[in-house]
Amino acid sequence: MTLQQLKYVIEVANRGSINEAAKRLFISQPSLSNAIKDLEEEMQLAIFERSNKGISLSKEGIEFLSYARQVVEQAELLESRYLNAKPSPQHFSVSTQHYAFAVNAFVSLVQEYGQDEYELALKETKTYEIIEDVKNLRSEIGILYVNEFNGKVINKLLKTANLQFNSLLTAKPHIFISIKNPLAKQSIVTIDQLQNYPYLSFDQGEYNSFHFSEEILSTISHKKSIRVNDRATLFNLLIGLNGYTISTGVLSADLNGNEIIPVPLDCEETIHVGWISHRNASLSKLGAAYIQALMQAISQ
């Protein structure tokens, strides 16, 4: 087993593809495949599962990868300490539902810990992909919500993937609307009052079931409904079409301006937002710092 082989495994896991990893590593695909196969034979375990759909970490591979990351990080620390005293690039990745406070925390992390070189990733993505990213260690941390409706499904997936949910925020539902929306002056709105306004939600792709929706009350039918893939588009439609979406009520004026406001929604639901991580992997320095930045962003 060599340090280079461990780096190869990490890169393939990060990219989810041998082809993409080979391009990033500037080596041929056969060379990369053979190096990983040699490592698997030496360790006597299948690190990756291969299928027609691609390559993914096996159950044993997930545990192996957590140790491999630690070994490579320690090697980089040695190099930075004794080889030209050059700091090694920092690595950190987070996958999240579309929350402004998650972006705020990421900005704070980079401002405080960013060096001359780093490779960081912030992925606003679909609920199922968040779980998959953390399960396969493509992201160290995932951010999503659970409530009474989706809790059984989400918690079962987390348990199967050996992930843990850590609470960040408990909130009553709010709608996000434009300040020019006729409902903007109300202290609270009801579901019935929203019927004539376009309902905006985030598309969940292949796993577009009610349980993976980012918005609570996902089973309610709407006269007007629009699905989008990113937060910027959703916010533009909130303003341009007088639409609404349902979320936590936590917004960032620094990032989103003052054109959109939260208004409490009259319902009995409760939203529990939290961060997920792998039970077999301890948080890195940047991971722990990001959690602190999250807590600070939520409290503002």
Side-chain angles (χ1 to χ4, degrees), residues 124-190:
E124 289 190 332
T125 187
K126 302 172 178 64
T127 302
Y128 185 84
E129 291 179 4
I130 293 170
I131 297 173
E132 285 294 296
D133 281 350
V134 181
K135 170 187 172 182
N136 293 305
L137 296 178
R138 289 192 291 268
S139 287
E140 183 176 347
I141 290 170
I143 303 171
L144 47 74
Y145 92 92
V146 296
N147 69 345
E148 186 176 355
F149 173 72
N150 72 358
K152 288 185 178 180
V153 172
I154 297 297
N155 288 326
K156 182 179 180 180
L157 282 173
L158 296 181
K159 183 177 181 180
T160 301
N162 202 25
L163 305 180
Q164 58 188 1
F165 180 91
N166 307 274
S167 182
L168 273 174
L169 167 70
T170 300
K172 298 298 292 183
H174 287 65
I175 60 168
F176 288 163
I177 55 176
S178 164
I179 57 173
K180 297 179 182 179
N181 190 296
L183 299 175
K185 295 181 180 180
Q186 296 196 196
S187 59
I188 191 169
V189 298
T190 66

Side-chain angles (χ1 to χ4, degrees), residues 46-222:
I47 300 172
F48 293 101
E49 294 178 347
R50 296 149 176 94
S51 68
N52 293 333
K53 294 183 178 180
I55 189 169
S56 61
L57 285 166
S58 66
K59 183 177 180 180
E60 295 81 7
I62 291 172
E63 184 176 7
F64 181 86
L65 184 63
S66 68
Y67 287 111
R69 289 190 191 278
Q70 294 178 46
V71 172
V72 171
E73 287 175 2
Q74 291 300 315
E76 289 176 346
L77 286 174
L78 282 172
E79 290 177 356
S80 67
R81 175 66 178 84
Y82 296 106
L83 186 60
N84 300 324
K86 181 181 178 181
S88 60
Q90 298 184 90
H91 300 270
F92 174 71
S93 178
V94 56
S95 296
T96 176
Q97 291 178 331
H98 299 77
Y99 297 122
F101 59 79
V103 181
N104 265 356
F106 193 83
V107 170
S108 297
L109 179 76
V110 176
Q111 289 176 339
E112 184 169 357
Y113 291 94
Q115 299 176 344
D116 291 337
E117 295 184 32
Y118 52 76
E119 184 175 338
L120 310 177
L122 171 64
K123 295 182 278 186
E124 289 190 332
T125 187
K126 302 172 178 64
T127 302
Y128 185 84
E129 291 179 4
I130 293 170
I131 297 173
E132 285 294 296
D133 281 350
V134 181
K135 170 187 172 182
N136 293 305
L137 296 178
R138 289 192 291 268
S139 287
E140 183 176 347
I141 290 170
I143 303 171
L144 47 74
Y145 92 92
V146 296
N147 69 345
E148 186 176 355
F149 173 72
N150 72 358
K152 288 185 178 180
V153 172
I154 297 297
N155 288 326
K156 182 179 180 180
L157 282 173
L158 296 181
K159 183 177 181 180
T160 301
N162 202 25
L163 305 180
Q164 58 188 1
F165 180 91
N166 307 274
S167 182
L168 273 174
L169 167 70
T170 300
K172 298 298 292 183
H174 287 65
I175 60 168
F176 288 163
I177 55 176
S178 164
I179 57 173
K180 297 179 182 179
N181 190 296
L183 299 175
K185 295 181 180 180
Q186 296 196 196
S187 59
I188 191 169
V189 298
T190 66
I191 295 294
D192 289 341
Q193 289 176 301
L194 296 169
Q195 289 302 310
N196 292 322
Y197 296 92
Y199 169 67
L200 307 177
S201 62
F202 289 106
D203 184 78
Q204 296 297 320
E206 181 182 353
Y207 297 91
N208 207 31
S209 79
F210 295 134
H211 293 97
F212 292 111
S213 172
E214 284 194 40
E215 302 79 22
I216 67 165
L217 306 176
S218 56
T219 58
I220 294 178
S221 61
H222 303 274

